[in-house]
Amino acid sequence: MNFKRVAVLDTNTLVDDYKAILKFPNTLVVVPRVVVGELDGLKNNRDGNKRAVVRKASWLLDAITEEFADEEIMPLETEGSYLIIEGNHRNEFECYEPEKPDNRIISVAVGYAKKMPESTITLYSNDVNVRVEARSVARQLKLLNLKSNRYKIIDKGLDEINTGVVKLELPTKTLLETRKNQYFNIELPYMNGEHVFMVDEMNPDHMVLATYNSAHKRLETIHDWKKDNPIWVAGGDAVRPQDARQNFLINDLMAEDKYVHFILSRVAGAGKNYITTACVLNLLNEGAFDRYILIKPMVEIGDELGLLPGTKEEKMSPWFESFKDTMFELTNDGMDLPADLEGKIELDVVTHMRGRSIPNTIIHIDEAQNMTEHAIKTILTRAGKNTKIILSGDLSQIDNPRLDSENNGLRVWSERARDINSGFPESTYILLESNFRSDLSAWASTFYE
């Protein structure tokens, strides 16, 4: 087989993205055998997230090599791509430590550059010293076809997110009847609670907002929080939805028969936290729940939380500044927050949730796009009776290098909950797509691709 492109992967690329071998179309993907050995050495790493990713990378390699056990070059599901586990340990360049894993990986790339001079050989590594050394060797050996690049997660998942909203064109008479009766009998293949734009087929500007009740097989109109009483009064300003999707969201959060809420966006400034916090304050103020626990991932410092000085609250404070900003807006710097709510708000991190059973509480997992599938499962399994769990996150702002917009915990669990056969019917899902922060913020957000 002739390949114009060959990608040699360092161990750290698979640690950052266990599906890295599937991200190179029309390419021969080379995994040096020493990389497999390094993955094996990392499977007992102290970092739980790293252990999980390494095991997934190993399982993926195992599945492919088992299916094509008799083939040296194994086809991948990515268009035009093949995989080879390269066992060449020859020293292809002079160095002090030829058996060092980094040098063996570089040697594999050099070997391909020598035997495939018409192809572009790229060594992908997130170790800056490996990249520098590989470029130095390429210059020394005059291998113009040998490149060395940092591996960046190739993420196309932002284009394929389910919106949680469907548009249904119906006759004018149907919309008028629905407005009058507040429901319309119809059998649809929708998930229970699916948000529906009922649009007049003769006049697109005439629209009714509804959700689908799968038990009664009918569309039911939702409360219009834009026209009726506000969800919260923020320092004299009424909090109302700024578009139909935010109106859907408020109805979701205020629903007594819904226990899990997935709130996604792929733009900044969509109002996830502002609207959610306003709803939470409303629910607490009405006595529907005893307390509110806001949880955030500590992505930047990981397991180093315990090394920071101060109390638990002082350590966590920098990661909750956005919540403080939201509360400042909603309560006029806390001055108009009802006194009985002050002791009902708790800030925490996921590492402190294991082993707890939490009843009659609103648990809000913010920045959930930076949490693994396992971390979110830990929180979901803490829910006691009359507990509402809210998961929110912006899939265009993932800071955890091991996650992308497809494999992060928020995306994984939201799709599980929405599965028409095995999902959780007492859940809701909405994708917010408009930026209301400012014109500048809205413009910058359009470049999420």
Side-chain angles (χ1 to χ4, degrees), residues 208-228:
V208 174
L209 304 184
T211 58
Y212 184 62
N213 186 321
S214 60
H216 293 92
K217 294 182 173 55
R218 67 184 188 185
L219 291 168
E220 299 174 345
T221 61
I222 65 171
H223 186 77
D224 191 345
W225 292 93
K226 196 166 187 177
K227 296 180 180 179
D228 209 337

Side-chain angles (χ1 to χ4, degrees), residues 432-446:
L432 304 180
E433 295 202 281
S434 299
N435 183 311
F436 298 104
R437 187 167 291 160
S438 68
D439 291 343
L440 174 58
S441 179
W443 171 76
S445 294
T446 62

Side-chain angles (χ1 to χ4, degrees), residues 364-398:
H364 179 192
I365 311 172
D366 191 22
E367 304 291 345
Q369 80 279 4
N370 282 318
M371 298 176 109
T372 64
E373 168 191 346
H374 177 72
I376 287 183
K377 178 182 178 180
T378 298
I379 299 172
L380 291 175
T381 54
R382 299 306 96 207
K385 291 184 178 180
N386 193 38
T387 284
K388 183 186 286 283
I389 295 186
I390 303 168
L391 303 98
S392 62
D394 182 350
L395 297 186
S396 71
Q397 297 188 23
I398 296 179

Side-chain angles (χ1 to χ4, degrees), residues 21 50 66 98 110-111 124 133 147 207 293 326 335 352 409:
I21 62 173
K50 182 174 291 187
E66 180 181 29
V110 171
Y124 287 93
E133 179 70 10
K147 312 295 180 183
M207 184 182 303
I293 301 177
T326 301
M335 298 303 294
H352 298 138

Side-chain angles (χ1 to χ4, degrees), residues 12 23 33 50 79 92 95 103 117 142 147 149 159 172 186 189 232 245 315 329 333 354-355 366 375 404 421-422 432:
N12 47 54
K23 302 295 180 69
R33 190 178 296 168
K50 182 174 291 187
E79 181 182 1
E92 298 284 355
C95 59
N103 289 330
K142 294 182 173 54
K147 312 295 180 183
N149 294 337
D159 298 318
T172 305
I186 184 173
W232 186 257
R245 290 174 186 268
K315 293 175 183 179
E329 287 188 72
D333 196 18
R354 189 176 297 279
D366 191 22
D404 58 32
N421 298 312
S422 60
L432 304 180

Side-chain angles (χ1 to χ4, degrees), residues 138-398:
R139 286 194 298 270
Q140 178 186 354
L141 300 180
K142 294 182 173 54
L143 296 173
L144 301 181
N145 62 330
L146 177 58
K147 312 295 180 183
S148 184
N149 294 337
R150 179 180 179 182
Y151 176 78
K152 296 180 180 179
I153 293 177
I154 303 170
D155 188 0
K156 297 181 180 179
L158 286 172
D159 298 318
E160 302 166 355
I161 304 173
N162 195 304
T163 64
V165 178
V166 295
K167 185 170 71 172
L168 195 63
E169 294 187 353
L170 296 166
T172 305
K173 181 181 178 182
T174 299
L175 267 66
L176 294 175
E177 290 177 353
T178 303
R179 284 190 184 278
K180 178 182 177 181
N181 301 326
Q182 298 186 327
Y183 70 89
F184 175 64
N185 292 319
I186 184 173
E187 185 170 357
L188 297 167
Y190 296 161
M191 184 85 176
N192 186 55
E194 183 81 352
H195 310 102
V196 181
F197 288 121
M198 300 176 66
V199 181
D200 191 329
E201 58 188 12
M202 301 302 294
N203 180 10
D205 293 331
H206 182 204
M207 184 182 303
V208 174
L209 304 184
T211 58
Y212 184 62
N213 186 321
S214 60
H216 293 92
K217 294 182 173 55
R218 67 184 188 185
L219 291 168
E220 299 174 345
T221 61
I222 65 171
H223 186 77
D224 191 345
W225 292 93
K226 196 166 187 177
K227 296 180 180 179
D228 209 337
N229 296 328
I231 191 65
W232 186 257
V233 178
D237 296 327
V239 179
R240 301 181 186 276
Q242 299 191 57
D243 67 358
R245 290 174 186 268
Q246 286 191 355
N247 197 43
F248 279 129
L249 172 58
I250 294 174
N251 278 273
D252 289 345
L253 294 174
M254 300 303 290
E256 296 181 359
D257 60 341
K258 299 295 182 181
Y259 310 125
V260 181
H261 307 276
F262 297 94
I263 311 167
L264 290 72
S265 72
R266 51 187 171 191
V267 297
K272 296 185 300 298
N273 289 333
Y274 187 74
I275 294 296
T276 299
T277 306
C279 290
V280 166
L281 292 176
N282 182 303
L283 290 166
L284 289 176
N285 195 45
E286 294 296 322
F289 298 89
D290 292 339
R291 58 180 171 159
Y292 168 60
I293 301 177
L294 174 62
I295 300 170
K296 282 199 173 190
M298 316 289 276
V299 174
E300 290 80 4
I301 59 175
D303 293 332
E304 300 298 319
L305 177 62
L307 301 178
L308 295 178
T311 64
K312 169 186 165 183
E313 288 72 22
E314 290 171 336
K315 293 175 183 179
M316 295 190 303
S317 180
W319 278 264
F320 290 91
E321 290 300 325
S322 61
F323 174 72
K324 296 174 186 176
D325 292 341
T326 301
M327 288 295 290
F328 183 93
E329 287 188 72
L330 291 174
T331 64
N332 193 21
D333 196 18
M335 298 303 294
D336 58 356
L337 181 67
D340 61 339
L341 295 188
E342 292 184 2
K344 295 184 176 181
I345 298 174
E346 177 182 338
L347 309 181
D348 214 332
V349 293
V350 67
T351 53
H352 298 138
M353 298 302 293
R354 189 176 297 279
R356 299 176 67 179
S357 179
I358 306 174
N360 207 44
T361 300
I362 301 173
I363 301 175
H364 179 192
I365 311 172
D366 191 22
E367 304 291 345
Q369 80 279 4
N370 282 318
M371 298 176 109
T372 64
E373 168 191 346
H374 177 72
I376 287 183
K377 178 182 178 180
T378 298
I379 299 172
L380 291 175
T381 54
R382 299 306 96 207
K385 291 184 178 180
N386 193 38
T387 284
K388 183 186 286 283
I389 295 186
I390 303 168
L391 303 98
S392 62
D394 182 350
L395 297 186
S396 71
Q397 297 188 23
I398 296 179

